[in-house]
Amino acid sequence: METSTLPLSSSTRGKLISAGYTSLSSISSVSSTDLARDVNITEAEAFEILKMANHQVTGSSTSLINGARNAWDMLHEEEALPRITTSCSDLDKILGGGISCRDVTEIGGVPGIGKTQIGIQLSVNVQIPSEFGGLGGKAIYIDTEGSFMVERALQIAEACVEDMEEYTGYIHKHYKANQVQLKPKDILENIFYFRVCSYTEQIALVNHLDKFISENKDVKVVIVDSITFHFRQDFDDLAQRTRVLSEMALKFMKLAKKFSLAVVLLNQVTTKYTEGSFQLALALGDSWSHSCTNRVILYWNGDERYAYIDKSPSLPSASASYTVTSRGLRNSSSSSKRVKMM
Amino acid sequence: MANKLIGEMDLHKRISNIFAARNIITAKDALSMTEFELMELLDVGVNEIQSAVRLISQAASPPCLSARSLMEQKVENEYLSGHLPTHLKGLDSALCGGIPFGVLTELVGPPGIGKSQFCMKLALSASFPKAYGGLDGRVVYIDVESKFSSRRVIEMGLKSFPEVFHLKGMAQEMAGRILVLRPASLSDFTESIQELKESILQNQVKLLVIDSMTALLSGENKPGDQRHQQHQLGWHISFLKSLAEFARIPIVVTNQVRSQNRDETSQYSFQAKLKDGSQEHTRTYDSHLVAALGINWAHAVTIRLVLESKSGQRIIKVAKSPMSPPLAFPFHITSAGISLLSDEGTELKGPGINNIHARGHSEMINFNGDCS
């Protein structure tokens, strides 16, 4: 292993190499004071370099690797993962119960198919209290296009509260209908809304979310509507765009894992010419399509809206239909048909 | 926010100077590069870069609002919670009050269907005082195809709001609030809207109408230069959206139609594999019309109203709206402007709501020589 692979600034690296420390084994045997004197850097810097070098070296030793966990333990964790319902049971079924927390899910589709509707529905459903099987968390809604209509969010919140009250009425027959503590205005209070007006703000906000969520630990879903908009028009250098997007995707993944929340990215659609004809594909290019863990595509099939699981590490490809009603997302009336599996 | 200067943020002086030395002055410059690239460029360690980026990001982030305070702001500060009534009852109730502020609303339809009529009526009603359902402000009407007719506007005013218009001097004052611009080219238009952004608040402009967006872009490019056109349009889309938001005004844009080639019945790659009989009906033999300006534009508008003519009946459909079901209303045009024939819309399911039908001329041209 070479010292040139260590994450250091180029001048420090240059100094190390010109002083003769080209491989990691040469550093491991030297003390920090000696290194500092030889290379002409401060002792604190030398200490940092030694720490980095040792970290790399122990990774290749044959004893247990730092930070690894065995798959059996992870199984229990995966099964206990909470999921956010979409209020449409067919859709929940193909998603394995709902949108999973700790994962980045990308949802894309043509204009008017219901992406913003799903976004608003999820930001309301994440707040369903645990007595009703929900997460009781808060939502962050990052709006890049101005499509968040607060009147619609109120409609969906009211419908959600009504459904919960009806449910309490069925199950606890002796309870009165208005036992539900959560009111529509409270639901709106728990949606943190950010309006992003340029890609710089988008990147800045993603970087800042770490601090924001540390201060608001009960946020359980981050919805970005849509990630594409600013990146589609303002970037001239496409290679640069790809690099910046990959970094943003990594940050989202880290957020999802660190705080155990769900990240939902809504994407637009573009046409590309492949296999001899024009086909629809999600925007932002081929490199971006690798960045998200799960991918759901919304499309029209005849007169109905369908969702298709395009990419998932654990769910089979399947499609299910849903409708958008005045109360939000629901099963379509023809849902007596079974869910189609590939 | 993107143009915030790094020099004015709370960064350590040393780091701040390093950024400036490499010509990274604004937040936009810093955040357009990945952290690794910044490290290479500035010759600084990874921890320092990360904390600098964190501080810059915090300064450049937009503020947070809860959805509830968003709603309360709208209710308190804006007329009818941020909606411009169209005076068409069915449409207004479908749109929760009228054309919403702060977003782009598009009117698309074949020629002669009534888009300009709709816009003129809207411009007139926006100029009215609040007591009569208007916004009490100026209207900027960008008339690319010279369709604006003041005579028609006054006629509409007299017929639909007689009590207002007959008052002395009202007609002159209302018409005086509508500013008509006729840009000769796309660059003229670009200059005008940039100028507008500066003065929009002082001049009390409450509505912007662009009739039509397609005409602006069509004259500019060599045929087949799709990529360039899309790119130009991209800048205008972002600018118009930010103008609408910043000034909290409605922006109404009209769009034309074009015919759809067979090649363009696009599907996703996985749809070919799903064996479903209903896939076949997408290959129809009708040459039907689609909205011009492409799919990028279709994503950018928040509300799309489609005007079409089917079997001789004109219909206005709410094709895309985050807060309304897909309703269609029959309408006709009278001397008072557009009026709905029924306030109860019919709900259309499926993607058909986006299809645009236009009648041919055979109903008008009477081959038997009779006059009808």
Side-chain angles (χ1 to χ4, degrees), chain A residues 11 117 145 151 188-189 191 193 195 199 201 204 207 211 240 243-244 247 269 280 299 301-302 308, chain B residues 1 32 35 37 43 57-58 65-68 83 241 245 267-268 270-271 274 276 278-279 299 322 351:
Chain A
S11 57
Q117 302 299 311
E145 303 178 333
E151 299 90 343
L188 287 189
E189 182 71 38
I191 301 179
Y193 177 81
R195 176 70 171 96
Y199 72 82
E201 282 186 20
N207 292 340
K211 181 150 182 253
Q240 182 70 28
R243 286 195 286 274
V244 173
E247 205 187 33
V269 145
L280 287 175
Y299 64 102
N301 189 358
Y308 174 73
Chain B
M1 282 286 177
S32 303
E35 285 175 8
E37 286 167 350
D43 199 9
S57 302
Q58 192 170 345
L65 269 181
S66 74
R68 181 177 179 174
H83 292 272
K241 281 181 89 120
E245 288 240 353
Q267 299 182 340
Y268 294 101
F270 64 84
Q271 282 181 282
L274 287 174
D276 196 333
S278 55
Q279 291 297 321
H299 274 297

Side-chain angles (χ1 to χ4, degrees), chain A residues 49-122:
Chain A
I49 295 176
L50 283 176
K51 209 163 70 161
M52 269 191 258
N54 284 327
H55 189 66
Q56 303 270 23
V57 170
T58 50
S60 56
S61 71
T62 49
S63 52
L64 269 180
I65 308 167
N66 225 352
R69 280 165 30 245
N70 67 56
W72 184 254
D73 293 335
M74 287 178 68
L75 175 64
H76 290 299
E77 244 185 55
E78 265 183 44
E79 286 179 343
L81 261 186
R83 282 167 184 273
I84 308 177
T85 171
T86 54
S87 287
C88 169
S89 57
D90 288 341
L91 199 51
D92 280 349
K93 213 185 301 185
I94 59 168
L95 286 170
I99 301 282
S100 62
C101 292
R102 307 195 98 219
D103 263 353
V104 176
T105 307
E106 182 186 359
I107 302 183
V110 292
I113 193 86
K115 304 185 290 295
T116 305
Q117 302 299 311
I118 291 192
I120 301 181
Q121 185 74 60
L122 288 171

Side-chain angles (χ1 to χ4, degrees), chain B residues 113 125 139 180-181 187 224 233 258-261 284 300 307 311 326:
Chain B
I113 196 88
S125 53
V139 176
V180 180
L181 265 176
S187 36
L233 181 58
R258 61 178 174 84
S259 42
Q260 186 185 53
N261 317 339
T284 59
L307 286 81
S311 332

Side-chain angles (χ1 to χ4, degrees), chain A residues 75-209:
Chain A
L75 175 64
H76 290 299
E77 244 185 55
E78 265 183 44
E79 286 179 343
L81 261 186
R83 282 167 184 273
I84 308 177
T85 171
T86 54
S87 287
C88 169
S89 57
D90 288 341
L91 199 51
D92 280 349
K93 213 185 301 185
I94 59 168
L95 286 170
I99 301 282
S100 62
C101 292
R102 307 195 98 219
D103 263 353
V104 176
T105 307
E106 182 186 359
I107 302 183
V110 292
I113 193 86
K115 304 185 290 295
T116 305
Q117 302 299 311
I118 291 192
I120 301 181
Q121 185 74 60
L122 288 171
S123 58
V124 168
N125 286 359
V126 74
Q127 299 182 42
I128 297 179
S130 36
E131 304 91 75
F132 296 91
L135 279 80
K138 299 191 179 168
I140 289 184
Y141 196 100
I142 300 178
D143 188 2
T144 62
E145 303 178 333
S147 20
F148 183 80
M149 298 267 122
V150 73
E151 299 90 343
R152 180 61 173 155
L154 186 63
Q155 271 179 354
I156 295 185
E158 286 171 346
C160 183
V161 170
E162 275 171 26
D163 286 346
M164 286 197 284
E165 287 173 349
E166 210 183 300
Y167 180 79
T168 346
Y170 283 139
I171 302 300
H172 309 284
K173 289 194 174 53
H174 50 284
Y175 275 37
K176 291 205 201 31
N178 52 354
Q179 284 287 327
V180 176
Q181 302 286 41
L182 207 55
K183 294 275 169 269
K185 285 251 167 74
D186 299 326
I187 294 186
L188 287 189
E189 182 71 38
N190 291 334
I191 301 179
F192 295 114
Y193 177 81
F194 290 90
R195 176 70 171 96
V196 162
C197 301
S198 68
Y199 72 82
T200 316
E201 282 186 20
Q202 196 170 332
I203 300 174
L205 183 55
V206 176
N207 292 340
H208 179 59
L209 274 182

